[in-house]
Amino acid sequence: MARFEIHSADMAAMGEKPITADILFQMGLDSACGRNGATDLVTAHKWFNIAALKGNKDAAQYRKEISGEMSPSEIAEAQRSAREWLSMH
C-alpha cells in the first residue's frame, strides 16, 4: 500500500497541479473574498506575499490593499506564515 502524506491542507487543495505564482495568487483571492468559507485576510496576505515573491505582478498590489484593513499583529502573523510555508516548500 502506498503512503501519501500531505504536509498542509493548503497543498491538498492544490492537488496535482504544479505550484505557480498564479495559483498562489488565486488562493489569495479565494481567502480574501471567502470563496471557500470565511474571509481570512491573514491567509490572503500570506498567499499574495508568496505569489509576489514568485513573480505575480498583481499580488504585491493586492497585499498592500488588504494590509490597510489588517492590524500590525495580523500582518506579522501573515509574514511568519509565509516564511514557514516557503521553508517547507
Side-chain angles (χ1 to χ4, degrees):
M1 177 179 213
R3 183 176 172 177
F4 180 69
E5 293 183 28
I6 297 175
H7 296 286
S8 71
D10 302 327
M11 294 303 295
M14 286 189 247
E16 297 292 322
K17 300 175 190 173
I19 302 170
T20 65
D22 291 338
I23 289 173
L24 295 166
F25 177 72
Q26 184 61 52
M27 291 175 73
L29 291 174
D30 292 348
S31 297
C33 71
R35 190 166 293 147
N36 297 321
T39 299
D40 185 348
L41 295 183
V42 172
T43 301
H45 189 286
K46 172 183 90 172
W47 291 128
F48 290 146
N49 196 17
I50 297 168
L53 288 171
K54 294 195 174 275
N56 185 289
K57 303 216 183 305
D58 295 326
Q61 181 60 36
Y62 278 70
R63 179 186 62 208
K64 182 180 177 182
E65 288 178 15
I66 66 169
S67 291
E69 301 177 32
M70 299 170 67
S71 70
S73 64
E74 289 173 323
I75 293 169
E77 180 184 345
Q79 291 172 335
R80 273 192 305 277
S81 184
R83 282 192 301 271
E84 289 173 7
W85 190 92
L86 287 167
S87 72
M88 290 175 46
H89 302 91

